[in-house]
Amino acid sequence: MITVVIPTIGRASLADAVPEGVPVIVVEDSERRGPAAVRNQGWRQARTPWVVFLDDDVVPSEGWLDAVVKDLADLPEDVGGSQGRIEVPLPEGRRPTDAERNTAGLADADWITADMAYRRTALEKVGGFDERFPRAYREDADLALRVMAAGYRLVKGERVTRHPVRDDGFWASVRFQRGNADDALMRKIHGPGWRSLIGAGGLLPRHAATTALGLSALALTTAAAASGDGTARKRAAGAALLAATGWAALTARFAWERIAPGPRTPAEIVRMLVTSVAIPPVACGYRLRGELRERW
């Protein structure tokens, strides 16, 4: 009835992601083509009515196979997909870190391929994943929107899959801003209202304001230093101070929003302060790159 497809980049956690008693196709992304491309390679080898996509860093719960069969049995033909319930075990005895909270957000996300089953005919109808999405970001939401646009419904099942948290390093939250480039592709494909279609929020407008104020402060400070006119220099310096104050206020707000719900350890506070300075311009830079890529 089902085939499980798992794209992998060679994580050791792959062994825990493979369920027993069901055909499994594991596709290694050795050339870093991205999960969209390798998932397409995997499901096109399947011959079962349903294809279940799992990530290589999840752990299907005990009894998962029986649960997924039950979830998919007797679904109406207009149901094109079924999502498993994602649980993210957080550490006990302390507040979660920013990175841990980001992973915990997967528990409330819609149509993510951490555990997502699709009817094979639905995949064939829409052509599978869009391989223009180069990373594990938005490629699953894009597929869900196209499947629903093709006339299918998507439903939530009862099976449970755990997604452990992991530490991806000090700069992980900055690296994740690369996904802003893919948001430009989502806008191109699904229109300016695509975020509301998948229930996604976004801080890019605030990041843009923060970045604009920071750049203005630098430019005005440079102009003040280069001006030979005392009055013009004072005006530029005053404007630079206002811009710098606005930048500092927005940056402090962003940092506190990330610090307040966390463990507030010295290491976490330092990480939040440093990355909160870096994230706004990096996010804007990647979004600009994405917009230019989609324009040309």
Side-chain angles (χ1 to χ4, degrees):
M1 179 183 183
I2 69 170
T3 300
V4 172
V5 172
I6 305 176
T8 184
I9 56 175
R11 289 192 179 110
S13 57
L14 173 64
D16 296 324
V18 178
E20 296 181 356
V22 61
V24 178
I25 298 174
V26 175
V27 186
E28 185 173 0
D29 191 8
S30 57
E31 297 177 1
R32 293 298 190 267
R33 293 176 295 154
V38 296
R39 286 195 190 104
N40 280 341
Q41 180 181 339
W43 75 258
R44 286 169 180 153
Q45 297 177 42
R47 294 297 177 263
T48 51
W50 287 91
V51 177
V52 184
F53 296 102
L54 295 176
D55 287 343
D56 68 351
D57 55 353
V58 303
V59 182
S61 62
E62 185 176 352
W64 180 89
L65 179 56
D66 290 338
V68 71
V69 170
K70 185 177 180 180
D71 281 346
L72 303 180
D74 302 321
L75 284 177
E77 288 295 321
D78 71 326
V79 174
S82 167
Q83 180 181 334
R85 298 184 181 275
I86 306 301
E87 292 184 349
V88 180
L90 294 175
E92 298 181 358
R94 65 165 174 81
R95 294 178 176 182
T97 64
D98 179 71
E100 291 165 346
R101 293 194 305 276
N102 285 338
T103 303
L106 295 174
D108 299 318
D110 290 333
W111 324 130
I112 58 174
T113 43
D115 182 345
M116 185 71 194
Y118 277 105
R119 201 181 290 274
R120 195 178 192 283
T121 52
L123 292 171
E124 291 172 342
K125 186 172 183 178
V126 302
F129 292 89
D130 189 330
E131 297 182 14
R132 289 178 295 176
F133 289 92
R135 68 196 104 247
Y137 189 77
R138 303 300 190 204
E139 86 292 352
D140 44 11
D142 165 71
L143 175 61
L145 292 178
R146 289 188 289 110
V147 168
M148 289 188 284
Y152 292 97
R153 291 188 295 121
L154 302 180
V155 299
K156 300 282 182 74
E158 296 299 324
R159 65 191 183 277
V160 175
T161 295
R162 290 186 294 113
H163 193 302
V165 297
R166 65 176 187 270
D167 186 356
D168 288 323
F170 187 96
W171 297 103
S173 59
V174 178
R175 292 196 302 272
F176 292 161
Q177 302 310 311
R178 292 177 294 184
N180 283 281
D182 304 323
D183 285 349
L185 179 55
M186 287 290 286
R187 182 195 56 76
K188 179 179 180 180
I189 297 172
H190 302 289
W194 67 269
R195 287 184 178 277
S196 63
L197 297 176
I198 63 171
L203 290 176
L204 190 64
R206 200 203 300 177
H207 289 338
T210 304
T211 302
L213 286 168
L215 292 175
S216 296
L218 289 174
L220 289 165
T221 298
T222 301
S227 177
D229 182 275
T231 301
R233 183 167 59 250
K234 288 181 180 180
R235 288 176 179 174
L241 179 60
L242 286 175
T245 300
W247 172 86
L250 288 177
T251 301
R253 175 186 174 186
F254 181 45
W256 178 246
E257 288 172 345
R258 302 171 70 207
I259 292 169
R264 304 188 195 179
T265 60
E268 178 73 357
I269 291 173
V270 169
R271 181 187 298 198
M272 294 302 96
L273 290 174
V274 172
T275 57
S276 292
V277 171
I279 284 174
V282 172
C284 292
Y286 276 114
R287 182 56 184 266
L288 179 60
R289 178 186 297 183
E291 292 291 347
L292 292 175
R293 181 187 65 194
E294 298 312 321
R295 185 180 295 271
W296 288 288

